[in-house]
Every structure is written in structure tokens, then in C-alpha cells.
Amino acid sequence: MSDTLDLSRFERMMAGHAGQLGLRYVAHGDDWAELGFDYKPSLAMNAENGVLASGPIISLIDSACGFSIAAKIKRIRPMATLDLRIDYVRAAPPGRAITARATCYRVARNVAFVRCLAHDGDPEDPVAHALATFFFTGD
Amino acid sequence: MSFTSPYANMIGARRNTATGEPIITIGWHDEIEGRPGFLHGGVIAGLLEMACYEALSQELRDQAAMPRLKPINIAVDYLRGGLMTDTHAVAQVVRVGKRVANASAVCWQDDRSKPIATARMHILLDR
């Protein structure tokens, strides 16, 4: 579809904290986007067992949610996270890449509503589930 | 968890010893930027989580066997954009049960009376 936004081109948005985490674009569709990162020991909560900290997961989900809104409205529009609620369904063992698939299920004039699942290989066995709302800070 | 986690180290979060409170502080650096000019929402959430862990660790420190702390969920409200300056977070433990604790955290920058984010968190006490 020619009017689909090519999110893979938005590498500028992968600088900053996304760059520090090693976030990468995976895929997107009409109303969804997938981002991921590979495991590295610096992302662990605990140096002994290497279990992934929750911080990188919530950062990944926040970014994926924003991308899913751009995918749905087919353009990049300035926005900010209004709230984000996340369930850490299970621990993420060391060594596994994490993928977050965010779906924007509603865009209103000022606010967009998103849900997101993060998994470490099997989407049917997620590590985290989230709901978020964003508001547009400009056109 | 102890506050010396690799992730805390990576984002530059440290225990702030200016007061007796379990405040966690992070200085600005380019690697915590989200949308241009603003702190990444995930970093704010991570800082709020660390503040909850730190407050809970302080509350539990006199226990014979320190339980392992595991995150169950967190709800973050973003109130203002985070600017390119020092950011602080502190939490209060609302309730400690046998297996679950509830904490409430606040995050601010220059003016503590104007928080940039708040959060509620549930933490599993794995004994």
C-alpha cells in the first residue's frame, strides 16, 4: 500500500535512549509496529543471575507504542506519553532478544490509545502486557 | 534487588545521599533522550521503579531474610515532559503484606512540588 508509512526509515528516532538499549525496527502494519532489542548483560537487573531489568522492557514498550500510532496515522506527529500501565507477566531470562508488538486501536483528535505485548520468542507466552495513552503535542 | 544493578549503572542512576530519604537521581546525558529534547518515558518509568525498590529495601532491611523483589506491575502517569537536567525519584511504601508490597513513587526535576511523573507499583516478595 502506497500510503503506508515506512517506519524503517525513521532511524533518527532510534538515537538517544533507544540507541543505548540497542532498539531496532522489526516490522509494522496498518495500525501496529514491532520493535526489539537483543539481550546484553548491561540490561540486567541483577548481575548474578542476569535476569533482564524491567526498565529496558518498559522503554521498549513506550517506544513501540509511539511507533504504532505513527503507523496508524501514516505520519510522524509530535506526541507525549500520558500514561503507561504494564504487567510483568513473567521474568525474562538472560540471553533472549525481546520483541514488543504495539497496536494502536483508537486515535482521537488529541489522544491515541495503544496496547502492547512483549515476548522473548513466542508471542503466545509474553513477558509483559501494557496499555498506554498518548496525547498529541502538535500537528 | 540491590541498587547496584547493571541497568541502573547503564542509565547512570545513583542513590542520592543529600538527605536521609531513599532518593534516586540521574543526571542528563544524551543516551537517556527520547523525543528530541526530552527524557525518554521509559527512563522515567525505570527511575520510578528503582525508587520503589529502594524504599521497599529500606523498609525491609531489618528482616532476618531479605525476600527477593520481583515486579508485578506499574502504572505511570506522565505529568510534564522531562527536561535536559537532573531528575530525581522517591517512593513511599504504602503497604507491605506477606507476599505483595504496594508503593507510590514521584519523580521531579528542579521543583519537587511540580512532579513530572507519578507511579503506583506492586512488587512480589519472593521468600
Side-chain angles (χ1 to χ4, degrees), chain A residues 54-73:
Chain A
S54 46
I57 298 175
I58 199 165
S59 287
L60 169 70
I61 284 174
D62 186 40
S63 291
C65 286
F67 270 69
S68 75
I69 297 167
K72 187 166 174 86
I73 65 177

Side-chain angles (χ1 to χ4, degrees), chain B residues 7-107:
Chain B
Y7 169 70
N9 214 20
M10 188 187 85
I11 64 169
R14 62 184 194 277
R15 172 72 188 262
N16 187 325
T17 53
T19 69
E21 292 177 282
I23 296 174
I24 309 298
T25 293
I26 181 172
W28 177 266
H29 51 110
D30 290 344
E31 292 193 315
I32 56 173
E33 189 177 41
R35 64 192 163 109
F38 292 92
L39 193 52
H40 196 286
V43 174
I44 296 172
L47 203 59
L48 286 159
E49 289 192 354
M50 284 178 215
C52 291
Y53 286 123
E54 191 66 10
L56 191 56
S57 300
Q58 186 166 299
E59 178 115 353
L60 298 174
R61 72 190 154 200
D62 296 329
Q63 298 210 349
M66 180 74 178
R68 287 205 304 160
L69 307 182
K70 295 179 175 174
I72 298 172
N73 55 30
I74 185 169
V76 184
D77 289 335
Y78 294 95
L79 308 172
R80 290 181 173 79
L83 305 176
M84 295 158 76
T85 183
D86 285 1
T87 307
H88 318 278
V90 72
Q92 286 194 311
V93 176
V94 177
R95 170 172 151 83
V96 183
K98 273 202 179 75
R99 280 167 297 187
V100 176
N102 175 293
S104 170
V106 60
C107 178

Side-chain angles (χ1 to χ4, degrees), chain B residues 19 21 23 90-91 106-116:
Chain B
T19 69
E21 292 177 282
I23 296 174
V90 72
V106 60
C107 178
W108 73 96
Q109 293 186 317
D110 292 336
D111 184 348
R112 191 165 174 172
S113 70
K114 290 182 177 156
I116 65 164

